[in-house]
Amino acid sequence: MLSQDELLDLADSIKAEGQHRPIVLDSDGVLLDGRNRLAACEIAGVEPRFTTYTGNNPTALILSNNVFRRHISKGQQAMITAMACSVSGHSLRDLAKLHGLSRSRLSAANVVLKYSRELAEQVRIGAVSLDNAYNAVSEGKARAAALQEKYDRLRELAPDLAEQVTESQITLDDAAAALHERLETERLRQYVINADSVRLADGDTTPSLAELVERGDITWPEARQRAEEFAVHRRDTIQRSRQALHLIAENWTAIQDLAARPNTPYARDILDGLASETRSLAQALMTLA
């Protein structure tokens, strides 16, 4: 309906100049177009002039006579058109072409209408802009998609937790947190088991870290920390051993020289000046040179 001031202006116009366009009724007397004219005639005290619609598409008549008014925004036009399409069977493409509406606006209106009838009605009456309604619906769709993705992941990796969510025994967020904890524990377990395998292959005879966890002596995070310490120690030891062997290789000629003169004063003077452990190593290497 027009505002009260606009309606009074229309009444004054009808009183002064007459009713230019008739009010349209269907064959049963139902008002199809002209409710503002009818109200203005009553205010002006003028007998309204009617005509009967004889076509077969009253929806199209209502649409064409009411959508494209200057006081209706483009967003409202798009929404009213989308609503009309939902009952008339016309395609959005045809109506966009027929009335010069943006197909993107019509598409946005159709999305809002599909996912939120309440928001669509707010757009129709001009209480909410089409852009704001579309953004709100899009955000809702994104949230719904994220929730569905989270639930699908639960069904794939933890069917029991998904079942508890379905039965409303726990929330989706709590189930996701429980799944994260499971996966983290499994990740720690695999890391520790791999470290135990290396220790066993290296000849370590102490109880495995996984065994200590299963006995309740330590937790998986503690086992992970010990495994990391083992890996660091092993890496450092390997590096030092390589360096030591490099030194031996670089000085192998000295070992060969001693081996060639094992019982000479020269060899005794060298060996006597060494610490006992170094002297034992030198004597063992001399047998290999």
Side-chain angles (χ1 to χ4, degrees):
M1 291 292 292
L2 297 176
S3 68
Q4 186 63 28
D5 288 342
E6 290 173 325
L7 199 58
L8 291 175
D9 288 342
L10 180 59
D12 289 341
S13 174
I14 289 176
K15 189 172 184 179
E17 303 175 13
Q19 180 185 340
H20 295 301
R21 294 175 57 198
I23 298 164
V24 183
L25 308 175
D26 68 7
S27 58
D28 295 322
V30 176
L31 179 67
L32 297 181
D33 180 60
R35 58 177 176 166
N36 284 309
R37 273 166 278 155
L38 180 60
C41 285
E42 293 176 357
I43 294 173
V46 174
E47 184 70 24
R49 181 164 55 89
F50 297 95
T51 186
T52 300
Y53 176 68
T54 57
N56 58 6
N57 194 345
T59 301
L61 172 72
I62 295 170
L63 184 64
S64 62
N65 286 347
N66 289 278
V67 170
F68 304 101
R69 297 180 182 274
R70 285 179 297 175
H71 68 283
I72 294 180
S73 70
K74 292 294 185 182
Q76 287 176 278
Q77 291 178 11
M79 182 55 69
I80 295 171
T81 303
M83 288 178 167
C85 282
S86 69
V87 297
S88 69
H90 290 92
S91 72
L92 289 177
R93 177 180 298 180
D94 291 342
L95 286 177
K97 184 177 181 180
L98 178 63
H99 299 294
L101 281 173
S102 163
R103 286 178 59 183
S104 62
R105 280 187 178 276
L106 277 176
S107 178
N110 200 45
V111 169
V112 175
L113 182 62
K114 179 179 179 181
Y115 289 97
S116 177
R117 297 288 303 192
E118 181 180 352
L119 268 179
E121 179 61 19
Q122 293 297 304
V123 173
R124 185 190 71 80
I125 65 176
V128 176
S129 72
L130 176 59
D131 288 343
N132 287 342
Y134 179 75
N135 289 339
V137 167
S138 298
E139 289 171 3
K141 287 173 61 181
R143 286 193 297 270
L147 291 175
Q148 185 63 49
E149 182 179 356
K150 187 182 292 187
Y151 180 73
D152 290 343
R153 187 166 184 263
L154 272 178
R155 290 186 60 187
E156 178 185 356
L157 301 177
D160 60 317
L161 292 176
E163 181 66 21
Q164 292 180 48
V165 172
T166 302
E167 297 296 328
S168 299
Q169 297 174 359
I170 58 175
T171 67
L172 182 58
D173 286 342
D174 287 343
L179 173 60
H180 174 76
E181 185 176 349
R182 284 187 188 180
L183 295 177
E184 180 64 14
T185 299
E186 178 60 22
R187 185 179 68 83
L188 293 178
R189 192 179 75 86
Q190 286 299 325
Y191 183 89
V192 170
I193 288 175
N194 291 339
D196 281 340
S197 298
V198 174
R199 291 172 65 241
L200 179 62
D202 284 348
D204 194 326
T205 59
T206 60
S208 70
L209 295 172
E211 181 181 344
L212 294 178
V213 174
E214 291 170 358
R215 288 193 335 215
D217 294 342
I218 58 175
T219 64
W220 284 115
E222 290 171 339
R224 165 64 184 262
Q225 182 177 355
R226 293 192 186 185
E228 289 177 342
E229 292 171 353
F230 160 74
V232 171
H233 175 73
R234 184 177 188 272
R235 184 171 58 249
D236 291 345
T237 301
I238 290 173
Q239 183 63 26
R240 287 195 300 271
S241 298
R242 286 174 176 171
Q243 292 173 350
L245 291 173
H246 280 307
L247 288 174
I248 292 173
E250 290 172 358
N251 296 279
W252 188 245
T253 55
I255 299 297
Q256 290 176 320
D257 190 32
L258 282 174
R261 295 179 285 178
N263 297 313
T264 63
Y266 169 77
R268 285 196 299 273
D269 287 345
I270 293 176
L271 294 174
D272 289 344
L274 300 176
S276 60
E277 291 182 355
T278 306
R279 184 168 56 253
S280 297
L281 172 62
Q283 289 172 337
L285 293 175
M286 288 169 61
T287 61
L288 300 175

